[in-house]
């Protein structure tokens, strides 16, 4: 999703989105966040970003008098504004979509969400998976150590033979 915005509006940087995200987090009660649906939070986050883009306001997180949307004087403000309007269209399209979360998160994030869902639905499988991963890692480390020692002996034997 961020890649879509990046190609349309190169002036919009990840720190703009992160800063707006931090401000958004401050507007929500942290106790309520634990019991709130992820899609509800994502929807309100996108509205929050959309309203700040429309107003061209992104206050610095620590120094509120600095607006991060005050782009450098050499930037073409007309082009930047046009790009931001396109970003607003992408956000609105995302807000109107039926599967909001799938349009926002990348495949890796969707994989993480699927893993978390499986962990919640099948808690008995999680310790088994943990054990299998530990055993697999131990085997991989032993194999790596074996190859390292074998390579070291090969180099030492070559050095001795000369």
């Amino acid at each position: 999703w961020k890649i879509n915005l990046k190609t349309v509006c190169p002036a919009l940087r990840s720190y703009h989105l992160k800063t707006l995200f931090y401000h958004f987090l401050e507007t929500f009660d942290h106790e309520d966040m634990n019991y709130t649906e992820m899609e509800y939070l994502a929807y309100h986050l996108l509205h929050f970003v959309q309203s700040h883009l429309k107003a061209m306001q992104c206050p610095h997180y620590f120094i509120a008098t600095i607006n991060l949307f005050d782009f450098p004087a050499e930037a073409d403000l007309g082009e930047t504004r046009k790009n931001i309007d396109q970003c607003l269209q992408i956000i609105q399209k995302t807000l109107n979509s039926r599967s909001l979360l799938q349009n926002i998160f990348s495949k890796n994030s969707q994989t993480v969400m699927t893993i978390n869902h499986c962990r919640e639905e099948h808690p008995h499988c999680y310790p088994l998976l943990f054990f299998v991963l530990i055993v697999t890692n131990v085997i991989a480390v032993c194999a790596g150590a074996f190859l390292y020692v074998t390579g070291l002996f090969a180099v030492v034997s070559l050095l001795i033979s000369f």
Side-chain angles (χ1 to χ4, degrees), residues 1 3 20 42 44 55-56 62 68 86 90 95 99 114 123 155:
W1 187 77
I3 294 171
L20 289 173
H44 284 284
M56 290 294 290
F62 297 108
L68 295 178
Q86 290 175 333
I90 290 173
L95 285 170
S99 53
T114 303
V155 168

Side-chain angles (χ1 to χ4, degrees), residues 1-10 12 17 87 90-91:
W1 187 77
K2 186 176 103 173
I3 294 171
N4 291 342
L5 290 181
K6 198 73 163 159
T7 57
V8 170
C9 187
L12 191 62
L17 296 175
C87 286
I90 290 173
I91 291 171

Side-chain angles (χ1 to χ4, degrees), residues 19-112:
T19 301
L20 289 173
F21 178 67
Y22 294 145
H23 285 295
F24 171 76
L25 288 177
E26 288 188 0
T27 64
F28 264 85
D29 182 18
H30 295 282
E31 294 296 321
D32 291 342
M33 220 177 257
N34 292 332
Y35 305 106
T36 305
E37 290 290 324
M38 180 85 112
E39 191 151 351
Y40 176 83
L41 289 172
Y43 183 82
H44 284 284
L45 172 62
L46 286 177
H47 268 291
F48 187 84
V49 170
Q50 186 180 40
S51 67
H52 280 77
L53 278 172
K54 282 181 183 176
M56 290 294 290
Q57 289 293 317
C58 181
H60 188 279
Y61 190 73
F62 297 108
I63 309 168
T65 57
I66 296 176
N67 181 12
L68 295 178
F69 284 159
D70 283 342
F71 296 105
E74 66 271 1
D76 182 6
L77 293 180
E79 185 68 25
T80 301
R81 186 66 211 177
K82 179 181 160 192
N83 291 340
I84 288 180
D85 286 341
Q86 290 175 333
C87 286
L88 289 169
Q89 289 174 0
I90 290 173
I91 291 171
Q92 190 60 48
K93 181 180 174 185
T94 304
L95 285 170
N96 293 338
S97 69
R98 291 179 190 240
S99 53
L100 179 66
L101 290 180
Q102 290 177 353
N103 288 331
I104 293 176
F105 293 117
S106 68
K107 294 295 180 201
N108 292 336
S109 296
Q110 288 177 8
T111 303
V112 170

Side-chain angles (χ1 to χ4, degrees), residues 110-138:
Q110 288 177 8
T111 303
V112 170
M113 288 172 58
T114 303
I115 290 169
N116 287 334
H117 176 72
C118 289
R119 184 172 47 187
E120 291 168 2
E121 292 292 318
H122 309 288
H124 57 282
C125 292
Y126 186 67
L128 178 64
L129 179 63
F130 179 76
F131 177 74
V132 168
L133 289 174
I134 292 295
V135 169
T136 305
N137 282 331
V138 168

